[in-house]
Amino acid sequence: QVQLVESGGGLLQAGGSLRLSCAASGRTFSNYVMGWFRQAPGKEREFVAAISWSGGNTRYADSVKGRFTISRDNAKNTVYLQMNSLKPEDTAVYYCAAARTFGVTTNPAAYDYWGQGTQVTVSS
């Protein structure tokens, strides 16, 4: 079992930056691919970014590429999502998730554990 707790969400204006954190506890954090997903009101949950066990491989949704950066600190059991140049369309609840998979995956069905989410609201 892995427990995930997100933090760092908030309300800010377009163009601003936020860093989300996801603290993990339970099983060995470094064994899991970690991902960030988001869900806006009335929309499906969508992939944002994912990172491999070692942090050497990352993947991003096209909509956030060049603006968001995912990273992890296995010593602290934490994964981060640095979000820059935020846009109103980035407004959503952001979830972190853990997957016991061999490679980085964008498929939410592959993720075994999910956090409760943190709200990010970007005003224009």
Side-chain angles (χ1 to χ4, degrees), residues 20 33-38 46-52 57-71 79-83 94-99 104-108 111 114:
L20 304 183
V33 167
M34 298 299 297
W36 286 96
F37 292 78
R38 66 186 182 187
E46 65 174 359
F47 169 77
V48 176
I51 189 166
S52 63
N57 291 321
T58 57
R59 291 188 68 178
Y60 296 92
D62 288 343
S63 58
V64 307
K65 206 170 291 184
R67 299 188 297 122
F68 291 11
T69 302
I70 188 171
S71 61
V79 62
Y80 305 98
L81 186 68
Q82 178 67 44
M83 305 186 295
Y94 283 72
Y95 300 88
C96 74
V104 175
T105 177
T106 66
N107 181 5
Y111 287 79
W114 293 81

mmCIF file of all heavy atoms in Angstrom, residues 20 33-38 46-52 57-71 79-83 94-99 104-108 111 114:
data_model
loop_
_atom_site.group_PDB
_atom_site.id
_atom_site.type_symbol
_atom_site.label_atom_id
_atom_site.label_comp_id
_atom_site.label_asym_id
_atom_site.label_seq_id
_atom_site.Cartn_x
_atom_site.Cartn_y
_atom_site.Cartn_z
ATOM 1 N N LEU A 20 3.770 22.028 -6.989
ATOM 2 C CA LEU A 20 3.021 21.018 -6.263
ATOM 3 C C LEU A 20 3.988 19.968 -5.736
ATOM 4 O O LEU A 20 4.982 19.648 -6.376
ATOM 5 C CB LEU A 20 1.995 20.354 -7.173
ATOM 6 C CG LEU A 20 0.999 21.274 -7.876
ATOM 7 C CD1 LEU A 20 0.002 20.424 -8.670
ATOM 8 C CD2 LEU A 20 0.285 22.173 -6.903
ATOM 9 N N VAL A 33 6.842 4.268 -10.688
ATOM 10 C CA VAL A 33 6.698 5.389 -11.607
ATOM 11 C C VAL A 33 5.669 6.335 -10.992
ATOM 12 O O VAL A 33 4.646 5.893 -10.466
ATOM 13 C CB VAL A 33 6.213 4.900 -12.984
ATOM 14 C CG1 VAL A 33 5.753 6.057 -13.858
ATOM 15 C CG2 VAL A 33 7.304 4.087 -13.675
ATOM 16 N N MET A 34 5.952 7.615 -11.043
ATOM 17 C CA MET A 34 5.043 8.604 -10.464
ATOM 18 C C MET A 34 4.477 9.494 -11.564
ATOM 19 O O MET A 34 5.184 9.877 -12.508
ATOM 20 C CB MET A 34 5.776 9.461 -9.439
ATOM 21 C CG MET A 34 6.316 8.682 -8.261
ATOM 22 S SD MET A 34 5.027 7.849 -7.308
ATOM 23 C CE MET A 34 4.070 9.258 -6.704
ATOM 24 N N GLY A 35 3.209 9.826 -11.416
ATOM 25 C CA GLY A 35 2.562 10.664 -12.421
ATOM 26 C C GLY A 35 1.727 11.750 -11.787
ATOM 27 O O GLY A 35 1.336 11.654 -10.619
ATOM 28 N N TRP A 36 1.484 12.783 -12.560
ATOM 29 C CA TRP A 36 0.539 13.838 -12.198
ATOM 30 C C TRP A 36 -0.577 13.844 -13.249
ATOM 31 O O TRP A 36 -0.294 13.778 -14.465
ATOM 32 C CB TRP A 36 1.204 15.206 -12.173
ATOM 33 C CG TRP A 36 2.087 15.444 -11.000
ATOM 34 C CD1 TRP A 36 3.443 15.292 -10.927
ATOM 35 C CD2 TRP A 36 1.666 15.887 -9.695
ATOM 36 N NE1 TRP A 36 3.895 15.610 -9.675
ATOM 37 C CE2 TRP A 36 2.824 15.987 -8.900
ATOM 38 C CE3 TRP A 36 0.437 16.220 -9.131
ATOM 39 C CZ2 TRP A 36 2.786 16.397 -7.562
ATOM 40 C CZ3 TRP A 36 0.395 16.629 -7.811
ATOM 41 C CH2 TRP A 36 1.558 16.712 -7.038
ATOM 42 N N PHE A 37 -1.784 13.918 -12.761
ATOM 43 C CA PHE A 37 -2.960 14.021 -13.615
ATOM 44 C C PHE A 37 -3.775 15.206 -13.128
ATOM 45 O O PHE A 37 -3.552 15.723 -12.031
ATOM 46 C CB PHE A 37 -3.803 12.742 -13.519
ATOM 47 C CG PHE A 37 -3.134 11.538 -14.109
ATOM 48 C CD1 PHE A 37 -2.145 10.858 -13.412
ATOM 49 C CD2 PHE A 37 -3.478 11.073 -15.368
ATOM 50 C CE1 PHE A 37 -1.510 9.751 -13.955
ATOM 51 C CE2 PHE A 37 -2.854 9.974 -15.921
ATOM 52 C CZ PHE A 37 -1.865 9.308 -15.210
ATOM 53 N N ARG A 38 -4.719 15.636 -13.943
ATOM 54 C CA ARG A 38 -5.595 16.721 -13.506
ATOM 55 C C ARG A 38 -6.999 16.505 -14.046
ATOM 56 O O ARG A 38 -7.193 15.837 -15.069
ATOM 57 C CB ARG A 38 -5.054 18.073 -13.950
ATOM 58 C CG ARG A 38 -5.045 18.297 -15.452
ATOM 59 C CD ARG A 38 -4.347 19.617 -15.785
ATOM 60 N NE ARG A 38 -4.353 19.897 -17.218
ATOM 61 C CZ ARG A 38 -3.698 20.902 -17.781
ATOM 62 N NH1 ARG A 38 -2.972 21.740 -17.039
ATOM 63 N NH2 ARG A 38 -3.764 21.085 -19.090
ATOM 64 N N GLU A 46 -7.107 13.873 -16.988
ATOM 65 C CA GLU A 46 -6.132 13.809 -18.067
ATOM 66 C C GLU A 46 -4.704 13.748 -17.536
ATOM 67 O O GLU A 46 -4.395 14.287 -16.469
ATOM 68 C CB GLU A 46 -6.270 15.016 -19.005
ATOM 69 C CG GLU A 46 -5.959 16.351 -18.373
ATOM 70 C CD GLU A 46 -5.963 17.483 -19.396
ATOM 71 O OE1 GLU A 46 -6.184 17.235 -20.594
ATOM 72 O OE2 GLU A 46 -5.720 18.630 -18.973
ATOM 73 N N PHE A 47 -3.862 13.127 -18.315
ATOM 74 C CA PHE A 47 -2.443 13.010 -17.981
ATOM 75 C C PHE A 47 -1.758 14.359 -18.085
ATOM 76 O O PHE A 47 -2.030 15.138 -19.005
ATOM 77 C CB PHE A 47 -1.791 12.016 -18.936
ATOM 78 C CG PHE A 47 -0.295 11.997 -18.874
ATOM 79 C CD1 PHE A 47 0.358 11.362 -17.838
ATOM 80 C CD2 PHE A 47 0.464 12.620 -19.852
ATOM 81 C CE1 PHE A 47 1.732 11.347 -17.766
ATOM 82 C CE2 PHE A 47 1.830 12.610 -19.805
ATOM 83 C CZ PHE A 47 2.479 11.967 -18.759
ATOM 84 N N VAL A 48 -0.855 14.617 -17.146
ATOM 85 C CA VAL A 48 -0.055 15.844 -17.174
ATOM 86 C C VAL A 48 1.425 15.527 -17.360
ATOM 87 O O VAL A 48 2.065 16.023 -18.281
ATOM 88 C CB VAL A 48 -0.258 16.654 -15.887
ATOM 89 C CG1 VAL A 48 0.656 17.885 -15.869
ATOM 90 C CG2 VAL A 48 -1.713 17.071 -15.721
ATOM 91 N N ALA A 49 1.967 14.694 -16.481
ATOM 92 C CA ALA A 49 3.398 14.391 -16.530
ATOM 93 C C ALA A 49 3.663 13.113 -15.751
ATOM 94 O O ALA A 49 2.899 12.746 -14.862
ATOM 95 C CB ALA A 49 4.215 15.543 -15.934
ATOM 96 N N ALA A 50 4.770 12.453 -16.098
ATOM 97 C CA ALA A 50 5.169 11.245 -15.379
ATOM 98 C C ALA A 50 6.684 11.148 -15.373
ATOM 99 O O ALA A 50 7.363 11.709 -16.241
ATOM 100 C CB ALA A 50 4.549 10.008 -16.005
ATOM 101 N N ILE A 51 7.197 10.410 -14.384
ATOM 102 C CA ILE A 51 8.632 10.287 -14.211
ATOM 103 C C ILE A 51 8.984 8.873 -13.807
ATOM 104 O O ILE A 51 8.263 8.224 -13.055
ATOM 105 C CB ILE A 51 9.130 11.325 -13.169
ATOM 106 C CG1 ILE A 51 10.647 11.399 -13.114
ATOM 107 C CG2 ILE A 51 8.533 11.053 -11.790
ATOM 108 C CD1 ILE A 51 11.158 12.618 -12.361
ATOM 109 N N SER A 52 10.100 8.388 -14.300
ATOM 110 C CA SER A 52 10.531 7.024 -14.040
ATOM 111 C C SER A 52 11.056 6.865 -12.620
ATOM 112 O O SER A 52 11.220 7.826 -11.879
ATOM 113 C CB SER A 52 11.612 6.631 -15.036
ATOM 114 O OG SER A 52 12.755 7.467 -14.876
ATOM 115 N N ASN A 57 13.818 9.426 -16.866
ATOM 116 C CA ASN A 57 12.873 9.535 -17.985
ATOM 117 C C ASN A 57 11.619 10.271 -17.549
ATOM 118 O O ASN A 57 11.079 10.003 -16.478
ATOM 119 C CB ASN A 57 12.479 8.153 -18.490
ATOM 120 C CG ASN A 57 13.638 7.446 -19.166
ATOM 121 O OD1 ASN A 57 14.413 8.067 -19.880
ATOM 122 N ND2 ASN A 57 13.741 6.156 -18.936
ATOM 123 N N THR A 58 11.181 11.182 -18.385
ATOM 124 C CA THR A 58 9.962 11.931 -18.103
ATOM 125 C C THR A 58 9.107 12.014 -19.367
ATOM 126 O O THR A 58 9.613 11.886 -20.484
ATOM 127 C CB THR A 58 10.252 13.359 -17.626
ATOM 128 O OG1 THR A 58 11.043 14.035 -18.613
ATOM 129 C CG2 THR A 58 11.008 13.358 -16.304
ATOM 130 N N ARG A 59 7.818 12.215 -19.162
ATOM 131 C CA ARG A 59 6.892 12.444 -20.271
ATOM 132 C C ARG A 59 5.920 13.540 -19.862
ATOM 133 O O ARG A 59 5.578 13.666 -18.676
ATOM 134 C CB ARG A 59 6.119 11.170 -20.627
ATOM 135 C CG ARG A 59 6.976 10.098 -21.259
ATOM 136 C CD ARG A 59 6.148 8.942 -21.759
ATOM 137 N NE ARG A 59 5.302 9.328 -22.904
ATOM 138 C CZ ARG A 59 4.513 8.482 -23.540
ATOM 139 N NH1 ARG A 59 4.419 7.223 -23.155
ATOM 140 N NH2 ARG A 59 3.790 8.877 -24.569
ATOM 141 N N TYR A 60 5.493 14.294 -20.854
ATOM 142 C CA TYR A 60 4.586 15.413 -20.596
ATOM 143 C C TYR A 60 3.453 15.431 -21.614
ATOM 144 O O TYR A 60 3.634 15.041 -22.777
ATOM 145 C CB TYR A 60 5.328 16.745 -20.686
ATOM 146 C CG TYR A 60 6.397 16.928 -19.645
ATOM 147 C CD1 TYR A 60 7.712 16.557 -19.894
ATOM 148 C CD2 TYR A 60 6.080 17.466 -18.400
ATOM 149 C CE1 TYR A 60 8.696 16.715 -18.929
ATOM 150 C CE2 TYR A 60 7.049 17.630 -17.428
ATOM 151 C CZ TYR A 60 8.349 17.250 -17.700
ATOM 152 O OH TYR A 60 9.312 17.409 -16.733
ATOM 153 N N ALA A 61 2.309 15.914 -21.170
ATOM 154 C CA ALA A 61 1.236 16.213 -22.103
ATOM 155 C C ALA A 61 1.679 17.383 -22.979
ATOM 156 O O ALA A 61 2.402 18.279 -22.519
ATOM 157 C CB ALA A 61 -0.038 16.570 -21.347
ATOM 158 N N ASP A 62 1.233 17.395 -24.214
ATOM 159 C CA ASP A 62 1.609 18.478 -25.123
ATOM 160 C C ASP A 62 1.183 19.837 -24.572
ATOM 161 O O ASP A 62 1.861 20.845 -24.783
ATOM 162 C CB ASP A 62 0.977 18.257 -26.493
ATOM 163 C CG ASP A 62 1.616 17.115 -27.255
ATOM 164 O OD1 ASP A 62 2.737 16.705 -26.888
ATOM 165 O OD2 ASP A 62 0.996 16.625 -28.218
ATOM 166 N N SER A 63 0.078 19.862 -23.860
ATOM 167 C CA SER A 63 -0.470 21.123 -23.373
ATOM 168 C C SER A 63 0.392 21.774 -22.292
ATOM 169 O O SER A 63 0.240 22.969 -22.021
ATOM 170 C CB SER A 63 -1.886 20.910 -22.823
ATOM 171 O OG SER A 63 -1.876 19.952 -21.783
ATOM 172 N N VAL A 64 1.297 21.006 -21.675
ATOM 173 C CA VAL A 64 2.112 21.566 -20.601
ATOM 174 C C VAL A 64 3.598 21.533 -20.916
ATOM 175 O O VAL A 64 4.407 22.063 -20.147
ATOM 176 C CB VAL A 64 1.860 20.839 -19.257
ATOM 177 C CG1 VAL A 64 0.372 20.815 -18.925
ATOM 178 C CG2 VAL A 64 2.439 19.438 -19.259
ATOM 179 N N LYS A 65 3.962 20.923 -22.025
ATOM 180 C CA LYS A 65 5.367 20.788 -22.383
ATOM 181 C C LYS A 65 6.013 22.157 -22.488
ATOM 182 O O LYS A 65 5.477 23.067 -23.117
ATOM 183 C CB LYS A 65 5.471 20.020 -23.700
ATOM 184 C CG LYS A 65 6.766 19.282 -23.913
ATOM 185 C CD LYS A 65 6.672 18.376 -25.127
ATOM 186 C CE LYS A 65 5.737 17.213 -24.881
ATOM 187 N NZ LYS A 65 5.719 16.258 -26.034
ATOM 188 N N GLY A 66 7.172 22.282 -21.858
ATOM 189 C CA GLY A 66 7.886 23.550 -21.866
ATOM 190 C C GLY A 66 7.490 24.489 -20.746
ATOM 191 O O GLY A 66 8.173 25.485 -20.500
ATOM 192 N N ARG A 67 6.383 24.186 -20.062
ATOM 193 C CA ARG A 67 5.930 25.035 -18.954
ATOM 194 C C ARG A 67 6.009 24.311 -17.617
ATOM 195 O O ARG A 67 6.262 24.940 -16.579
ATOM 196 C CB ARG A 67 4.487 25.487 -19.191
ATOM 197 C CG ARG A 67 4.295 26.298 -20.446
ATOM 198 C CD ARG A 67 2.875 26.879 -20.509
ATOM 199 N NE ARG A 67 1.843 25.856 -20.566
ATOM 200 C CZ ARG A 67 0.862 25.747 -19.667
ATOM 201 N NH1 ARG A 67 0.772 26.602 -18.658
ATOM 202 N NH2 ARG A 67 -0.052 24.794 -19.799
ATOM 203 N N PHE A 68 5.760 23.009 -17.612
ATOM 204 C CA PHE A 68 5.757 22.216 -16.390
ATOM 205 C C PHE A 68 6.985 21.315 -16.354
ATOM 206 O O PHE A 68 7.450 20.837 -17.396
ATOM 207 C CB PHE A 68 4.514 21.330 -16.321
ATOM 208 C CG PHE A 68 3.202 22.056 -16.112
ATOM 209 C CD1 PHE A 68 3.105 23.439 -16.225
ATOM 210 C CD2 PHE A 68 2.052 21.345 -15.802
ATOM 211 C CE1 PHE A 68 1.905 24.090 -16.035
ATOM 212 C CE2 PHE A 68 0.841 21.979 -15.605
ATOM 213 C CZ PHE A 68 0.765 23.354 -15.735
ATOM 214 N N THR A 69 7.467 21.055 -15.147
ATOM 215 C CA THR A 69 8.588 20.141 -14.957
ATOM 216 C C THR A 69 8.285 19.201 -13.796
ATOM 217 O O THR A 69 7.972 19.665 -12.691
ATOM 218 C CB THR A 69 9.882 20.904 -14.652
ATOM 219 O OG1 THR A 69 10.168 21.816 -15.726
ATOM 220 C CG2 THR A 69 11.050 19.936 -14.510
ATOM 221 N N ILE A 70 8.397 17.913 -14.056
ATOM 222 C CA ILE A 70 8.219 16.917 -13.006
ATOM 223 C C ILE A 70 9.590 16.482 -12.521
ATOM 224 O O ILE A 70 10.527 16.350 -13.308
ATOM 225 C CB ILE A 70 7.386 15.712 -13.500
ATOM 226 C CG1 ILE A 70 7.038 14.781 -12.347
ATOM 227 C CG2 ILE A 70 8.102 14.969 -14.623
ATOM 228 C CD1 ILE A 70 6.024 13.688 -12.721
ATOM 229 N N SER A 71 9.706 16.269 -11.226
ATOM 230 C CA SER A 71 10.954 15.791 -10.645
ATOM 231 C C SER A 71 10.620 14.968 -9.408
ATOM 232 O O SER A 71 9.486 14.987 -8.923
ATOM 233 C CB SER A 71 11.873 16.961 -10.281
ATOM 234 O OG SER A 71 11.265 17.807 -9.312
ATOM 235 N N VAL A 79 7.496 13.622 -4.934
ATOM 236 C CA VAL A 79 7.526 14.006 -6.341
ATOM 237 C C VAL A 79 6.964 15.419 -6.447
ATOM 238 O O VAL A 79 6.079 15.799 -5.683
ATOM 239 C CB VAL A 79 6.738 13.009 -7.212
ATOM 240 C CG1 VAL A 79 5.272 12.959 -6.829
ATOM 241 C CG2 VAL A 79 6.902 13.312 -8.693
ATOM 242 N N TYR A 80 7.513 16.163 -7.379
ATOM 243 C CA TYR A 80 7.149 17.580 -7.528
ATOM 244 C C TYR A 80 6.631 17.851 -8.932
ATOM 245 O O TYR A 80 6.976 17.160 -9.895
ATOM 246 C CB TYR A 80 8.372 18.465 -7.277
ATOM 247 C CG TYR A 80 9.042 18.241 -5.956
ATOM 248 C CD1 TYR A 80 10.167 17.421 -5.854
ATOM 249 C CD2 TYR A 80 8.557 18.849 -4.800
ATOM 250 C CE1 TYR A 80 10.796 17.205 -4.645
ATOM 251 C CE2 TYR A 80 9.178 18.636 -3.582
ATOM 252 C CZ TYR A 80 10.300 17.813 -3.511
ATOM 253 O OH TYR A 80 10.910 17.609 -2.304
ATOM 254 N N LEU A 81 5.838 18.893 -9.025
ATOM 255 C CA LEU A 81 5.429 19.398 -10.326
ATOM 256 C C LEU A 81 5.586 20.913 -10.291
ATOM 257 O O LEU A 81 4.816 21.611 -9.626
ATOM 258 C CB LEU A 81 3.982 19.028 -10.652
ATOM 259 C CG LEU A 81 3.541 19.418 -12.070
ATOM 260 C CD1 LEU A 81 4.268 18.577 -13.116
ATOM 261 C CD2 LEU A 81 2.020 19.242 -12.225
ATOM 262 N N GLN A 82 6.619 21.391 -10.963
ATOM 263 C CA GLN A 82 6.836 22.827 -11.078
ATOM 264 C C GLN A 82 6.037 23.339 -12.271
ATOM 265 O O GLN A 82 6.221 22.862 -13.392
ATOM 266 C CB GLN A 82 8.325 23.131 -11.277
ATOM 267 C CG GLN A 82 8.643 24.598 -11.465
ATOM 268 C CD GLN A 82 8.369 25.427 -10.226
ATOM 269 O OE1 GLN A 82 8.717 25.032 -9.123
ATOM 270 N NE2 GLN A 82 7.723 26.587 -10.411
ATOM 271 N N MET A 83 5.160 24.286 -12.008
ATOM 272 C CA MET A 83 4.266 24.797 -13.051
ATOM 273 C C MET A 83 4.545 26.278 -13.261
ATOM 274 O O MET A 83 4.379 27.082 -12.338
ATOM 275 C CB MET A 83 2.809 24.583 -12.648
ATOM 276 C CG MET A 83 2.475 23.141 -12.302
ATOM 277 S SD MET A 83 0.720 22.863 -11.992
ATOM 278 C CE MET A 83 0.479 23.842 -10.523
ATOM 279 N N TYR A 94 -5.459 18.697 -9.203
ATOM 280 C CA TYR A 94 -4.270 17.953 -9.609
ATOM 281 C C TYR A 94 -4.055 16.780 -8.662
ATOM 282 O O TYR A 94 -4.056 16.939 -7.443
ATOM 283 C CB TYR A 94 -3.049 18.867 -9.608
ATOM 284 C CG TYR A 94 -3.012 19.776 -10.816
ATOM 285 C CD1 TYR A 94 -3.895 20.840 -10.926
ATOM 286 C CD2 TYR A 94 -2.114 19.561 -11.854
ATOM 287 C CE1 TYR A 94 -3.891 21.670 -12.041
ATOM 288 C CE2 TYR A 94 -2.093 20.381 -12.981
ATOM 289 C CZ TYR A 94 -2.989 21.427 -13.059
ATOM 290 O OH TYR A 94 -2.980 22.240 -14.164
ATOM 291 N N TYR A 95 -3.845 15.609 -9.267
ATOM 292 C CA TYR A 95 -3.649 14.377 -8.522
ATOM 293 C C TYR A 95 -2.273 13.787 -8.820
ATOM 294 O O TYR A 95 -1.840 13.788 -9.975
ATOM 295 C CB TYR A 95 -4.684 13.335 -8.925
ATOM 296 C CG TYR A 95 -6.120 13.727 -8.686
ATOM 297 C CD1 TYR A 95 -6.850 14.422 -9.650
ATOM 298 C CD2 TYR A 95 -6.757 13.392 -7.492
ATOM 299 C CE1 TYR A 95 -8.159 14.776 -9.441
ATOM 300 C CE2 TYR A 95 -8.080 13.747 -7.271
ATOM 301 C CZ TYR A 95 -8.774 14.436 -8.248
ATOM 302 O OH TYR A 95 -10.081 14.788 -8.022
ATOM 303 N N CYS A 96 -1.633 13.271 -7.795
ATOM 304 C CA CYS A 96 -0.460 12.457 -8.065
ATOM 305 C C CYS A 96 -0.848 10.994 -7.940
ATOM 306 O O CYS A 96 -1.817 10.646 -7.258
ATOM 307 C CB CYS A 96 0.717 12.814 -7.174
ATOM 308 S SG CYS A 96 0.601 12.282 -5.475
ATOM 309 N N ALA A 97 -0.088 10.156 -8.621
ATOM 310 C CA ALA A 97 -0.398 8.735 -8.665
ATOM 311 C C ALA A 97 0.892 7.937 -8.775
ATOM 312 O O ALA A 97 1.901 8.438 -9.276
ATOM 313 C CB ALA A 97 -1.311 8.441 -9.853
ATOM 314 N N ALA A 98 0.825 6.689 -8.329
ATOM 315 C CA ALA A 98 1.976 5.794 -8.332
ATOM 316 C C ALA A 98 1.643 4.538 -9.117
ATOM 317 O O ALA A 98 0.567 3.947 -8.928
ATOM 318 C CB ALA A 98 2.373 5.430 -6.902
ATOM 319 N N ALA A 99 2.574 4.135 -9.962
ATOM 320 C CA ALA A 99 2.371 2.956 -10.805
ATOM 321 C C ALA A 99 3.536 1.998 -10.651
ATOM 322 O O ALA A 99 4.704 2.397 -10.767
ATOM 323 C CB ALA A 99 2.227 3.363 -12.261
ATOM 324 N N VAL A 104 7.659 4.482 -17.983
ATOM 325 C CA VAL A 104 6.800 5.647 -17.764
ATOM 326 C C VAL A 104 5.524 5.472 -18.587
ATOM 327 O O VAL A 104 5.579 5.135 -19.768
ATOM 328 C CB VAL A 104 7.540 6.930 -18.177
ATOM 329 C CG1 VAL A 104 6.617 8.130 -18.057
ATOM 330 C CG2 VAL A 104 8.783 7.122 -17.316
ATOM 331 N N THR A 105 4.387 5.701 -17.986
ATOM 332 C CA THR A 105 3.122 5.511 -18.672
ATOM 333 C C THR A 105 2.217 6.716 -18.482
ATOM 334 O O THR A 105 2.223 7.363 -17.432
ATOM 335 C CB THR A 105 2.408 4.238 -18.182
ATOM 336 O OG1 THR A 105 1.140 4.125 -18.830
ATOM 337 C CG2 THR A 105 2.193 4.266 -16.680
ATOM 338 N N THR A 106 1.428 6.994 -19.522
ATOM 339 C CA THR A 106 0.456 8.086 -19.469
ATOM 340 C C THR A 106 -0.947 7.574 -19.181
ATOM 341 O O THR A 106 -1.874 8.368 -19.045
ATOM 342 C CB THR A 106 0.436 8.868 -20.786
ATOM 343 O OG1 THR A 106 -0.052 8.014 -21.832
ATOM 344 C CG2 THR A 106 1.820 9.349 -21.175
ATOM 345 N N ASN A 107 -1.110 6.267 -19.102
ATOM 346 C CA ASN A 107 -2.423 5.640 -18.949
ATOM 347 C C ASN A 107 -2.849 5.626 -17.488
ATOM 348 O O ASN A 107 -2.228 4.948 -16.667
ATOM 349 C CB ASN A 107 -2.365 4.218 -19.484
ATOM 350 C CG ASN A 107 -3.694 3.505 -19.383
ATOM 351 O OD1 ASN A 107 -4.703 4.097 -18.999
ATOM 352 N ND2 ASN A 107 -3.712 2.242 -19.720
ATOM 353 N N PRO A 108 -3.909 6.333 -17.125
ATOM 354 C CA PRO A 108 -4.317 6.367 -15.716
ATOM 355 C C PRO A 108 -4.685 4.991 -15.174
ATOM 356 O O PRO A 108 -4.544 4.746 -13.967
ATOM 357 C CB PRO A 108 -5.521 7.320 -15.700
ATOM 358 C CG PRO A 108 -5.988 7.391 -17.112
ATOM 359 C CD PRO A 108 -4.800 7.163 -17.961
ATOM 360 N N TYR A 111 -2.034 3.136 -13.108
ATOM 361 C CA TYR A 111 -1.618 3.648 -11.808
ATOM 362 C C TYR A 111 -2.412 2.987 -10.691
ATOM 363 O O TYR A 111 -3.639 2.927 -10.738
ATOM 364 C CB TYR A 111 -1.762 5.170 -11.764
ATOM 365 C CG TYR A 111 -0.682 5.840 -12.590
ATOM 366 C CD1 TYR A 111 -0.773 5.910 -13.974
ATOM 367 C CD2 TYR A 111 0.449 6.363 -11.977
ATOM 368 C CE1 TYR A 111 0.235 6.495 -14.728
ATOM 369 C CE2 TYR A 111 1.458 6.948 -12.719
ATOM 370 C CZ TYR A 111 1.345 7.011 -14.098
ATOM 371 O OH TYR A 111 2.343 7.577 -14.846
ATOM 372 N N TRP A 114 -3.533 6.584 -5.753
ATOM 373 C CA TRP A 114 -3.857 7.974 -6.061
ATOM 374 C C TRP A 114 -3.958 8.793 -4.779
ATOM 375 O O TRP A 114 -4.414 8.304 -3.754
ATOM 376 C CB TRP A 114 -5.192 8.051 -6.801
ATOM 377 C CG TRP A 114 -5.154 7.446 -8.158
ATOM 378 C CD1 TRP A 114 -5.260 6.128 -8.470
ATOM 379 C CD2 TRP A 114 -4.986 8.130 -9.388
ATOM 380 N NE1 TRP A 114 -5.165 5.948 -9.827
ATOM 381 C CE2 TRP A 114 -5.000 7.174 -10.420
ATOM 382 C CE3 TRP A 114 -4.817 9.479 -9.728
ATOM 383 C CZ2 TRP A 114 -4.860 7.517 -11.768
ATOM 384 C CZ3 TRP A 114 -4.683 9.809 -11.063
ATOM 385 C CH2 TRP A 114 -4.702 8.834 -12.068
#
